[in-house]
Amino acid sequence: MNHVPAVAAPQRLRVEHLPVGDALGVGTPTPRLSWVVPDAPPGWTQTAYEVRVARRLPASEAHVAQARVEGEGQLFVPWPFPALRSRERAEVQVRVVGDQGASDWSEPLVVEAGLLHPDDWSASIARPPAFETRPSGLRRPPLLRRTFEIEGAVIQARLYLSAHGLAEAELNGSRVGDDALTPGWTVYPKRLRYATYDVTADVAPGPNAIGVWLGDGWWRGKVGFDGGAVDVYGTELGLIAQLEVVTDDGRVTTIVSDDRWAAAPSPILESGLYEGETFDATLVPPGWSAAGFDDDAWSAVAAEPIDASVLVAPEGPPVRCTEELAPIARELLPDGTWLLDFGQNASGRLRLTLRGAAAGTRVTVRHAEVLQDGRLCRRPLREAASEDTYVCAAGDQTWEPRFTLHGFRYAEVSGWDGPLEADDVVARVYHSDLERIGWFTCSDPLVNKLHENVVWSMRSNFVDLPTDCPQRDERLGWTGDIAAFAPTAAFLADCTGMLTGWLADLALEQERVGTVPYYVPYVPLGFWADAHPIALWGDAAVIVPWVLYQHTGDVDVLARQYGSIRTWVDQVLGLVGPDDVWDTGLQLGDWLDPAAPPEDPGQARTDRYLVATAYAAQSARLAGEVATLLGHHDDAARYAAAAERLRAGFRRRWVREGGLMADDAQTAYALALELGLLEGDERAVAASRLAQLVDKAEGRIATGFAGTPAVAPALTSGGHVDEAYRLLLQTECPSWLYQVVSGATTTWERWDSLLPDGTVNPGNMTSFNHYALGAVADWLHRSVAGLAPAAPGYRQFLVAPRPGPGITSAAASHVTPYGRASVSWHVADETLTVDVTVPVGTSATIDIPGHPASTVGHGDHHVEVAYPG
Ligand code: BGC
């Protein structure tokens, strides 16, 4: 008889925080492994795991090894074998062992090391000459190419690609990869990413050619507002490429970027992330990236040595097209312009199919988030023209720009009088290709739409780095926005790899400019040209790693950021005055409190130094917890004491006897309650005053970036669930659902980006796609549906739904590091029914009104309690 294992084979085997199933070009020689045990008998626990590996270097024999490790480890377990060498490929399988024996082996995961040492790079930077400068001031980018010969059958080929600028490669006439805006935006002088592609199928014996498109991107293109900055990292574009081809005779042919390449002006005449792209299809040299093309007339390129120590492998997935949207409406306006509505605000670009075009026809695409008087409203884009121009070749053709993105729902296509059918225009949505891991739904369709909008704003702004907005001349890695939104983001999508990379940049910029800058990467711009420490924004240095640790259980994230956390908190402590409050210097405070005047968004109801001190106390406390976890006991004691001092200072300055606050504002109460700054009975007094304020405002929100994540949780934990629901369900301005009933498809920057009279807010900072105010979704997940981590990585989680008036059912599910957890509840016939799924390896504490709290192990659980409603 066959032995049937008691426990199912592990799934979702992965390394580090890379996407499940994608481990090509891994940047560490000892990648940590994690997996999920999808199913096990009740009460099963893992007592050991085994890993087996078949590993080989290119063109050498495979070598097999197996390791057994006792214990429950299943997340980020150390690589149990000798370190991988550069390019080494390992087929890894895992099985888990419990009392009743071992599971089957998991499906294999192929892990391949990237180029781990600077010496692995023989490439130089290929620097093409400068070509035309266009009347617009934009510089025409180059194409680069070279041919090469391969002798023998190809058994493996890899392309390692990076650039000063943006790059897209072709081999023998075909596009390599499906990523966009490679290598993304990092602190280039210190960390420049390279992508690894498996191009085995694209290289053949005999003559071959490689061609590369380059674009300005963040390297030398315009970034930022108030005119922006150009040439931030350099004036010249450059290609960094290393193609390694292994043939059946065991030889490795390496083709690198150097002075053997040729360059020519690109058919891309102009290209800018904000400006858009101008492309002349009549100038595409036919066959330019294939062998046999005559490049005698092309220009020579210079080779410049590269500091390969800055080249790093990605920690998360690249930017890709993840969805295509067809127009929901198309209208030919009297002036011959097509007005297109894609029904969804998003980051992306249009793909156009034009049939029977006359060569030289100029077609222009403009983009906007909203319409005003039936036409695109482009004022909120400020200086980002967001305009793509395509000069047609003769005949039928399809085009999409390469090195630009736009934030838009609407587009106007002008200059085209041929046919334009619905499938001739597609909005292609681009962002970091993060795995969706969190979902929420409830009985109220407007709340569901709000949640969907939050997801879309996350998608639109997780574009290689966490940005504020995808549309105007900004799109910067604003630290305060992600500090507010990180818990929501970590629930919705697997963003840890992307954010750990960004945190590495945060630490580098912090060191370079002497504080955590307003945005990362940092470019001095206008008012923001001097980096000052400011609360919430700078606290991202602490909050983001802490949130990632809570969601993933990866203590390494904290270890890597510890220097940055410490430096930030020490700097803040140095700014705290004798009264133990942080009450000096520039502060954005409760940015975008709806009562703030449009031109002065920091002029909030809550004292900006109250906000600063509250966040300082939280950061000191968290730094203490991090220090404890990492075994830095002196620091732990020092930060815990500092947190206490700040708490005392906060209380002396802003808490009145009994628990009322000096600033009688939603944010003041929400922060005092949520950040643990009150004591004993004060909490109840403060919570009921907050509830009164909400009632007085008839459920209208009165918080900005700082207070918004805290207000509904503070009401809920203070026992005022009804008022929290009142805030949630309000549809008058300002409120979350005001945006929804006004037709929003993403969350807005301002509560009233669209004014109640239907006009666009006249403020010069009016985006319809900012995620910060969507931070309420964290509360939807935790308290409306009732699913929240209680121990790092969801090893334990809390099922604490708090049903409230107006919502009769809700559900959330989340692919935790251990597998999918879910909660769903509904109220009917005076009964509250709750269903919970607990993944193997975890336990859940079920805490529902009217029911004694209980802790349950993995499996499905069903609870019914009387609920008079
Ligand atoms: C950005 C923000 C940012 C803020 C800080 C704005 O222009 O869009 O979201 O946090 O500036 O002042």
Side-chain angles (χ1 to χ4, degrees):
M1 217 174 77
N2 284 342
H3 166 73
V4 180
V7 54
Q11 293 178 354
R12 291 180 65 82
L13 182 57
R14 63 193 300 198
V15 292
E16 299 296 330
H17 294 283
L18 288 168
V20 174
D22 177 6
L24 184 68
V26 172
T28 161
T30 52
R32 297 170 302 156
L33 301 168
S34 307
W35 60 86
V36 159
V37 178
D39 196 18
W44 181 88
T45 52
Q46 180 186 301
T47 54
Y49 61 88
E50 293 175 0
V51 188
R52 77 177 176 199
V53 69
R55 51 195 288 176
R56 66 171 176 79
L57 282 163
S60 60
E61 291 296 298
H63 164 78
V64 178
Q66 190 161 326
R68 179 183 169 101
V69 180
E70 302 304 317
E72 293 190 348
Q74 90 176 72
L75 298 187
F76 313 106
V77 305
W79 180 250
F81 305 111
L84 292 172
R85 290 195 271 161
S86 292
R87 311 174 179 86
E88 193 170 356
R89 196 172 165 76
E91 240 183 60
V92 185
Q93 287 174 287
V94 172
R95 69 178 177 191
V96 292
V97 183
D99 283 347
Q100 297 142 42
S103 71
D104 283 337
W105 289 101
S106 70
E107 291 294 313
L109 170 71
V110 175
V111 181
E112 187 179 301
L115 301 183
L116 301 173
H117 310 289
D119 295 352
D120 296 322
W121 288 92
S122 41
S124 310
I125 308 173
R127 290 258 189 243
F131 294 118
E132 177 194 9
T133 297
R134 307 273 303 166
S136 62
L138 289 168
R139 288 154 287 187
R140 187 165 167 191
L143 293 177
L144 284 95
R145 77 179 302 279
R146 77 157 278 189
T147 50
F148 56 96
E149 200 69 35
I150 295 295
E151 283 169 31
V154 175
I155 56 170
Q156 177 178 304
R158 296 287 180 268
L159 174 63
Y160 304 97
L161 180 70
S162 189
H164 288 175
L166 302 176
E168 215 181 273
E170 295 184 8
L171 270 165
N172 298 320
S174 314
R175 165 87 216 261
V176 172
D178 59 358
D179 45 340
L181 307 185
T182 301
W185 190 11
T186 50
V187 178
Y188 295 135
K190 297 282 169 79
R191 293 177 70 247
L192 174 57
R193 272 193 230 120
Y194 66 90
T196 303
Y197 305 94
D198 179 351
V199 291
T200 311
D202 303 308
V203 184
N208 289 265
I210 178 168
V212 180
W213 301 83
L214 290 183
D216 290 3
W218 298 279
W219 179 266
R220 72 170 190 187
K222 196 199 274 187
V223 286
F225 36 78
D226 293 342
V230 290
D231 297 339
V232 172
Y233 298 98
T235 54
E236 292 175 77
L237 299 180
L239 168 68
I240 300 161
Q242 186 155 318
L243 172 67
E244 300 184 351
V245 183
V246 185
T247 37
D248 57 353
D249 53 4
R251 263 192 310 164
V252 182
T253 307
T254 303
I255 309 298
V256 297
S257 46
D258 56 16
D259 56 7
R260 276 173 288 182
W261 292 56
S266 176
I268 298 174
L269 302 178
E270 302 180 345
S271 164
L273 289 164
Y274 301 152
E275 295 89 335
E277 199 155 297
T278 301
F279 187 93
D280 188 338
T282 65
L283 301 178
V284 180
W288 70 277
S289 66
F293 176 83
D294 178 3
D295 61 18
D296 277 359
W298 285 37
S299 311
V301 307
E304 197 178 290
I306 182 168
D307 172 6
S309 68
V310 305
L311 292 169
V312 295
E315 293 179 41
V319 173
R320 287 198 178 97
C321 173
T322 61
E323 191 170 342
E324 296 190 343
L325 303 172
I328 59 163
R330 263 174 327 133
E331 189 189 348
L332 186 57
L333 303 174
D335 67 358
T337 300
W338 282 97
L339 175 62
L340 307 168
D341 176 2
F342 292 91
Q344 176 61 55
N345 200 20
S347 57
R349 53 204 190 201
L350 241 60
R351 185 180 64 209
L352 283 178
T353 299
L354 304 171
R355 294 169 213 282
T361 308
R362 269 180 98 80
V363 180
T364 301
V365 188
R366 296 191 181 85
H367 306 77
E369 298 188 289
V370 285
L371 299 181
Q372 190 88 76
D373 304 323
R375 296 302 292 257
L376 301 183
C377 176
R378 297 178 354 119
R379 179 178 51 78
L381 307 180
R382 300 195 306 218
E383 291 170 40
S386 304
E387 185 173 310
D388 297 325
T389 301
Y390 178 68
V391 180
C392 299
D396 295 353
Q397 52 217 285
T398 294
W399 176 72
E400 178 188 336
R402 270 186 185 72
F403 297 127
T404 190
L405 281 189
H406 310 294
F408 69 104
R409 166 177 170 169
Y410 301 92
E412 285 186 2
V413 178
S414 54
W416 177 245
D417 53 14
L420 198 69
E421 302 301 328
D423 4 327
D424 294 339
V425 276
V426 178
R428 306 194 78 219
V429 176
Y430 280 85
H431 49 80
S432 293
D433 190 9
L434 307 174
E435 182 187 356
R436 177 87 186 262
I437 56 173
W439 295 267
F440 168 86
T441 176
C442 73
S443 58
D444 186 316
L446 295 179
V447 175
N448 291 342
K449 181 66 180 158
L450 166 68
H451 192 266
E452 203 184 304
N453 292 355
V454 172
V455 172
W456 273 102
S457 280
M458 174 171 182
R459 293 176 65 181
S460 311
N461 283 300
F462 275 60
V463 180
D464 200 65
L465 63 153
T467 63
D468 55 336
C469 57
Q471 76 298 85
R472 67 178 178 227
D473 54 357
E474 194 145 355
R475 313 181 196 180
L476 298 171
W478 280 96
T479 45
D481 303 46
I482 188 64
F485 191 70
T488 303
F491 183 90
L492 292 174
D494 181 9
C495 53
T496 304
M498 172 182 150
L499 290 178
T500 52
W502 180 77
L503 284 169
D505 285 328
L506 180 146
L508 288 169
E509 296 295 54
Q510 181 183 9
E511 198 183 317
R512 181 170 71 95
V513 304
T515 189
V516 177
Y518 313 111
Y519 39 84
V520 171
Y522 180 63
V523 178
L525 290 165
F527 177 80
W528 311 97
D530 285 321
H532 294 285
I534 54 171
L536 183 58
W537 278 255
D539 290 304
V542 185
I543 295 171
V544 177
W546 182 253
V547 168
L548 296 178
Y549 167 64
Q550 293 303 323
H551 280 260
T552 63
D554 184 8
V555 78
D556 235 50
V557 174
L558 300 176
R560 281 175 49 172
Q561 292 306 122
Y562 189 60
S564 157
I565 293 172
R566 211 170 168 262
T567 308
W568 167 253
V569 176
D570 288 348
Q571 180 173 43
V572 170
L573 294 178
L575 295 167
V576 168
D579 294 348
D580 295 324
V581 294
W582 185 9
D583 61 354
T584 51
L586 173 72
Q587 292 294 344
L588 299 181
D590 193 23
W591 186 251
L592 286 167
D593 174 331
E599 67 294 346
D600 191 2
Q603 205 53 53
R605 276 168 276 215
T606 300
D607 183 349
R608 58 189 75 210
Y609 296 122
L610 180 158
V611 172
T613 305
Y615 276 97
Q618 170 176 260
S619 283
R621 180 174 58 76
L622 294 179
E625 292 193 35
V626 174
T628 304
L629 279 163
L630 299 176
H632 302 301
H633 299 299
D634 292 351
D635 281 358
R638 188 163 66 82
Y639 290 129
E644 264 321 302
R645 274 200 313 279
L646 281 157
R647 191 163 171 271
F650 179 94
R651 297 167 51 72
R652 281 194 299 272
R653 177 76 62 93
W654 289 289
V655 182
R656 298 287 171 260
E657 209 165 325
L660 294 178
M661 300 291 300
D663 290 340
D664 196 25
Q666 289 184 16
T667 290
Y669 284 103
L671 293 181
L673 284 159
E674 270 309 283
L675 303 186
L677 300 166
L678 300 175
E679 268 165 25
D681 295 344
E682 290 170 358
R683 289 188 54 81
V685 172
S688 74
R689 181 59 193 157
L690 175 58
Q692 278 171 7
L693 289 176
V694 169
D695 280 335
K696 244 175 63 185
E698 294 173 343
R700 288 191 183 77
I701 192 80
T703 56
F705 277 26
T708 295
V711 64
L715 287 164
T716 311
S717 60
H720 298 278
V721 174
D722 290 12
E723 283 75 11
Y725 276 66
R726 193 165 183 197
L727 270 185
L728 174 68
L729 297 178
Q730 171 61 267
T731 54
E732 298 287 319
C733 187
S735 69
W736 287 288
L737 295 189
Y738 164 70
Q739 300 189 358
V740 172
V741 298
S742 306
T745 60
T746 40
T747 48
W748 300 345
E749 174 173 32
R750 296 174 180 274
W751 291 107
D752 58 353
S753 285
L754 194 69
L755 298 174
D757 67 7
T759 60
V760 174
N761 190 308
N764 100 324
M765 208 187 69
T766 300
S767 141
F768 290 84
N769 206 349
H770 256 63
Y771 49 56
L773 301 181
V776 66
D778 185 50
W779 174 74
L780 296 178
H781 308 144
R782 286 169 181 271
S783 297
V784 176
L787 175 56
Y794 289 79
R795 183 111 186 143
Q796 287 156 17
F797 62 97
L798 184 62
V799 175
R802 291 292 175 265
I807 292 189
T808 54
S809 67
S813 68
H814 179 72
V815 182
T816 76
Y818 295 91
R820 187 184 284 258
S822 63
V823 177
S824 77
W825 61 261
H826 66 273
V827 173
D829 304 329
E830 306 211 328
T831 304
L832 169 64
T833 306
V834 184
D835 285 285
V836 181
T837 300
V838 181
V840 178
T842 71
S843 62
T845 298
I846 303 184
D847 167 8
I848 50 182
H851 186 72
S854 59
T855 297
V856 295
H858 71 255
D860 294 334
H861 306 275
H862 178 88
V863 184
E864 287 183 20
V865 294
Y867 189 78

